[in-house]
Amino acid sequence: MRAARWTRGFGLVAGLAIMLAGCALLAPLPPEASLESRLAALPRAGLPLEHDVLIHWNAHQVPFIEAASDADAAFALGLVHAHLRLGQMELLRRISQGRISEMLGPLTVDIDHSLRILDFGRAALAIEAGLAPETRVWLERFVDGVNHYLARSEALPHEFAVLGLEPEPWTVRDLLTVGRLAATDVNWFVWFRLWTLRARPDWPALWARLVRGGGASMPSFAAGDELAALTELLAGVSRSGSNTLVVAPARTANGGALIASDPHLGFVLPNLWLIAGLKSPSYHVVGLMVPGLPFFALGRNRHIAWGGTNMRAASSDLIDVSGLAPAQVTTRREIVRVRWWFDSEVAVRDTAFGPVISDSPLLKGPDGEAVALRWVGHQASDEFSAMLRVNRARNWREFRAAFRGYAVSGQNMLYADTAGNIGQLMAVRLPSRAESELPPMIHAPGEGEAAWAAPVEVDGLPARFNPPRGFLVSANNRPSETAVPVGYFFSPDDRVRRITALLSARDAIAMADVLAIQTDVFEPTAAAINGAVLAALDRLGAETGLGAAAREVAAAMRAWDGRYDANSRGAVAYEAFLSHFIAGFYGPRFPDGELSGFTSVAKMGLFLPEDIAAAEPAALERTLAEALEKAAPAFARFENWGEMHRLALGHPLSRVPLLGRRYDVVDLPAAGSRQTVMKTNHAPSDERHEAGYGSQARHVSDLSDPDENYFVLLGGQDGWLRSS
């Protein structure tokens, strides 16, 4: 909360709100629930079904639904989603609609205002009107299942009591809006972080360097900042990362195609995925689903398997609408309901180019500036029909055709089938921009209008099918060359290079090899930066005169192999050094909070070695020595990387100060880092810290065997608090 918002009266009321929140948080936790008691809670009476439906549940409360009709299958799927994750679904629904303050009170009004501007439901009515008939029936019956649970369940999840939620029937429009939330454009996070840097005199050169470097766009986020909180909220629920690999039979030990998918989302309980299986006349599928979305985002059916990684597609433009005539800007006023306080009225301005995102109270630009957000996701498209077609596809031709009409979020989709084929395609709708050496961050009105009028989709973008080397890998890296720019900000190549190297090292790749790859913790970028630092130390003789503790840090860095094992001492030395070196090296150039914006977007594996090589020797020597000295206390304090780098799991309510502690579940030592294959992302730090997002679910299948399917779900399947 910015200090300017804290008047004495508001502070008193905010304090009262916190006390009221505390009373709500003191509501008794539900009793411990066994698998048997949880399954007994599933409503069975009065189900509006055409035929009997059978649901098999395993010991992990993973359901497999068998239904004689697709409509019954969709109803049962909605019933199961609500049974497992209704509390989580309600949170996602309210986030997607900018209704957080109804749950948390006056401190989140600015975030709700910003979400209202982003308007994830903007295209929902048009999408609903254009749904294919079979999709409409599927979504309506899924909603019927959710609402039946909501109306017939004997007890609602704990979140309803604590957050003051009143039961509200779900609608198809709710599903579509949550779907758009999950399709958030990750480029927004880049722009949000760079927003204030545009006032710098060197901004044109800085922007040019960031774009040419294809900077990384998904770091961890600083605590306590409202814009960071909004960014973390959106990033945590969107499919912003991931690794996926497919291997053709010619390269496997058993002669069947293999697939492994590792989606990267936030570390939170319940998990942002659930596992389910389904058999009906049109479907025979098992995989991972987003709670509240009635399709399998990754998984397999009897014929094919699929996974995806975020393309970091350029699906949005920022448009300077400051010069538009008043008649070209419309304003609507919306009421933000606020728990424990007066409701708040917010203004949302709109233009032909999109909503005026610069009106967000979390973004500060020059006085009088108005910037609109033009997003493909604000236009009608039908991702639900596309994914349902994928779920029932039988071959590469049907798989590729399924994505016609798919728009957001852009995904690199990988494919394998039981016939031994593998492939990769780009599922996205993009403005057909001309290739540009340097796109502006903010465009002039009308600039690129023709590109938006004639977008390119899956059939106009390259695809790969049965490549000669026998495998395909995607990890949010820069894609193949295309006729139009796909994007500008991609992940570093660490994960795709590492997976490629591990696959290339074997002629006969076994399932055990694929499983081992999922837990690999070597980071090429960190090894390269560490090497550049050590070379500079040697060149400058910077270790001369260091204290004994600082020399120990340098020695540990020299012995480090670039692996972030939980028991690694070298990882502690490197990360403690790196946090201080970045601050000392770049801090003078990026004062007043600008440093985090730069380092979060810059591809440091490229920038740091270049800048170290070009630095003035005396200043570099001083900065290196100071960073080693400052790293020494952390190196002495933490015995290994796992003591410093933590995987803390808890319900979102665990973030409430003091009273949220009872919603904590575990705090574990974590391996991995920012760009390791087993990703546990974090910001540079010499303190004990928590990983923000990364590897929290997995799907691995051998296509030669319909029963050879493995899933990982961090935190388990059931979202009911205190469920076994």
Side-chain angles (χ1 to χ4, degrees):
M1 179 63 64
R2 293 186 300 276
R5 294 279 307 274
W6 282 100
T7 64
R8 178 175 175 81
F10 185 84
L12 290 172
V13 173
L16 176 61
I18 292 170
M19 286 190 289
L20 289 169
C23 294
L25 284 171
L26 291 176
L29 290 172
E32 292 185 7
S34 65
L35 174 64
E36 292 74 17
S37 66
R38 285 291 293 130
L39 294 183
L42 184 74
R44 292 171 171 79
L47 302 179
L49 297 170
E50 300 173 279
H51 311 282
D52 287 347
V53 171
L54 180 62
I55 306 178
H56 306 269
W57 297 89
N58 71 7
H60 300 289
Q61 207 173 167
V62 175
F64 190 91
I65 299 166
E66 290 191 72
S69 73
D70 289 344
D72 282 353
F75 176 90
L77 196 59
L79 191 72
V80 162
H81 274 234
H83 167 71
L84 291 170
R85 302 294 184 87
L86 182 60
Q88 183 182 35
M89 289 166 58
E90 291 294 347
L91 294 179
L92 292 174
R93 174 161 64 163
R94 283 162 172 78
I95 292 169
S96 72
Q97 297 173 3
R99 298 170 59 193
I100 301 173
S101 299
E102 294 178 16
M103 304 181 288
L104 299 183
L107 302 185
T108 57
V109 169
D110 285 352
I111 294 177
D112 275 339
H113 186 185
S114 303
L115 290 169
R116 301 291 179 96
I117 295 171
L118 290 172
D119 195 3
F120 289 104
R122 184 185 183 100
L125 287 177
I127 296 171
E128 186 175 4
L131 288 173
E134 65 272 16
T135 304
R136 179 183 300 279
V137 171
W138 185 268
L139 299 188
E140 288 174 347
R141 289 296 285 155
F142 180 88
V143 166
D144 288 344
V146 174
N147 289 334
H148 186 88
Y149 185 92
L150 194 61
R152 299 295 184 92
S153 177
E154 294 184 0
L156 293 174
H158 180 72
E159 290 89 342
F160 277 73
V162 173
L163 297 174
L165 305 179
E166 293 295 331
E168 296 177 14
W170 278 67
T171 66
V172 170
R173 185 177 181 184
D174 290 333
L175 303 185
L176 299 173
T177 304
V178 171
R180 277 300 194 256
L181 172 68
T184 294
D185 187 342
V186 299
N187 291 285
W188 301 349
F189 311 147
V190 177
W191 296 335
F192 292 168
R193 295 187 196 104
L194 297 177
W195 200 265
T196 58
L197 271 66
R198 295 178 295 128
R200 293 174 58 92
D202 65 344
W203 167 250
L206 177 62
W207 173 251
R209 191 178 186 205
L210 291 170
V211 172
R212 291 190 182 111
S217 57
M218 286 300 301
S220 291
F221 309 97
D225 178 81
E226 289 172 294
L227 179 57
L230 173 64
T231 308
E232 184 175 6
L233 185 70
L234 297 178
V237 299
S238 66
R239 294 187 62 188
S240 52
S242 305
N243 312 319
T244 298
L245 65 89
V246 289
V247 187
R251 293 295 303 272
T252 65
N254 70 351
L258 302 174
I259 186 170
S261 294
D262 174 9
H264 298 156
L265 291 174
F267 294 131
V268 67
L269 298 182
N271 198 293
L272 286 155
W273 297 101
L274 62 82
I275 309 169
L278 178 73
K279 184 180 181 181
S280 71
S282 299
Y283 299 92
H284 192 172
V285 58
V286 62
L288 293 173
M289 311 182 76
V290 175
L293 299 186
F295 56 79
F296 294 80
L298 58 155
R300 72 172 293 182
N301 62 30
R302 294 177 59 208
H303 307 284
I304 74 167
W306 61 93
T309 73
N310 197 292
M311 289 176 62
R312 310 290 172 89
S315 299
S316 303
D317 281 338
L318 295 176
I319 311 294
D320 185 352
V321 294
S322 306
L324 293 185
Q328 294 175 285
V329 181
T330 62
T331 301
R332 70 178 188 273
R333 299 195 174 274
E334 297 192 5
I335 300 299
V336 176
R337 306 292 178 191
V338 183
R339 195 179 186 192
W340 308 304
W341 186 234
F342 303 107
D343 293 343
S344 181
E345 183 178 82
V346 299
V348 179
R349 292 196 295 166
D350 206 353
T351 73
F353 303 102
V356 182
I357 186 62
S358 58
D359 285 351
S360 165
L362 308 183
L363 296 175
K364 294 298 180 185
D367 291 341
E369 180 184 63
V371 178
L373 173 67
R374 191 169 197 175
W375 179 36
V376 172
H378 282 150
Q379 304 170 350
S381 57
D382 189 359
E383 289 72 24
F384 285 70
S385 291
M387 290 308 303
L388 289 171
R389 288 193 295 266
V390 168
N391 294 172
R392 58 181 185 262
R394 296 168 295 178
N395 52 50
W396 172 252
R397 178 184 58 79
E398 292 181 4
F399 180 75
R400 190 170 185 183
F403 289 103
R404 291 171 185 152
Y406 181 103
V408 291
S409 64
Q411 298 287 315
N412 295 297
M413 295 299 299
L414 278 76
Y415 164 99
D417 66 29
T418 56
N421 301 299
I422 63 171
Q424 180 176 347
L425 58 79
M426 298 180 183
V428 70
R429 177 184 295 165
L430 288 170
S432 54
R433 304 175 178 91
E435 187 65 59
S436 172
E437 175 66 18
L438 182 64
M441 179 169 162
I442 299 178
H443 299 254
E447 184 179 355
E449 197 65 32
W452 282 85
V456 61
E457 297 191 17
V458 60
D459 288 335
L461 293 166
R464 303 181 71 186
F465 188 64
N466 290 335
R469 70 177 179 178
F471 63 83
L472 291 163
V473 181
S474 181
N476 317 119
N477 51 293
R478 187 182 294 276
S480 304
E481 292 300 319
T482 57
V484 300
V486 171
Y488 303 104
F489 293 95
F490 303 98
S491 282
D493 292 336
D494 296 65
R495 287 175 285 127
V496 70
R497 285 167 49 200
R498 181 61 176 167
I499 296 171
T500 297
L502 293 170
L503 290 174
S504 299
R506 292 187 176 274
D507 293 326
I509 299 165
M511 175 63 78
D513 301 319
V514 172
L515 297 178
I517 287 172
Q518 307 309 306
T519 57
D520 187 80
V521 291
F522 173 74
E523 184 175 296
T525 283
I529 293 173
N530 192 53
V533 167
L534 296 175
L537 288 173
D538 293 339
R539 183 175 73 251
L540 300 170
E543 291 179 69
T544 304
L546 289 179
R551 289 198 301 273
E552 288 184 14
V553 174
M557 291 171 62
R558 291 187 185 280
W560 186 47
D561 59 2
R563 298 176 190 273
Y564 285 87
D565 296 299
N567 61 359
S568 172
R569 286 282 284 159
V572 175
Y574 170 76
E575 286 291 336
F577 165 83
L578 183 68
S579 65
H580 291 292
F581 182 73
I582 287 175
F585 192 63
Y586 289 113
R589 283 175 270 178
F590 294 93
D592 303 325
E594 294 179 353
L595 180 61
S596 63
F598 166 73
T599 57
S600 68
V601 175
K603 190 173 286 188
M604 300 307 293
L606 174 67
F607 282 27
L608 262 176
E610 287 182 352
D611 293 345
I612 287 172
E616 193 275 321
L620 176 61
E621 180 180 357
R622 183 171 59 253
T623 305
L624 288 167
E626 289 176 353
L628 287 169
E629 295 283 4
K630 290 179 178 178
F635 185 66
R637 187 164 64 252
F638 298 108
E639 181 65 26
N640 54 49
W641 179 234
E643 285 191 8
M644 185 180 188
H645 184 57
R646 310 297 294 182
L647 180 62
L649 292 177
H651 190 279
L653 291 170
S654 67
R655 296 194 174 196
V656 177
L658 299 178
L659 296 171
R661 290 180 179 175
R662 65 179 179 154
Y663 297 100
D664 289 330
V665 178
V666 292
D667 184 347
L668 304 170
S673 187
R674 286 171 286 268
Q675 292 299 333
T676 50
V677 175
M678 189 179 79
K679 183 164 185 156
T680 54
N681 195 60
H682 62 101
S685 174
D686 73 338
E687 301 287 341
R688 181 183 170 103
H689 60 269
E690 297 175 6
Y693 77 98
S695 301
Q696 40 74 278
R698 292 194 183 88
H699 160 232
V700 183
S701 282
D702 178 350
L703 273 293
S704 69
D705 184 343
D707 295 321
E708 189 83 0
N709 309 299
Y710 300 89
F711 291 91
V712 173
L713 199 66
L714 181 63
Q717 173 83 337
D718 194 9
W720 188 270
L721 281 166
R722 306 195 78 198
S723 163
S724 62

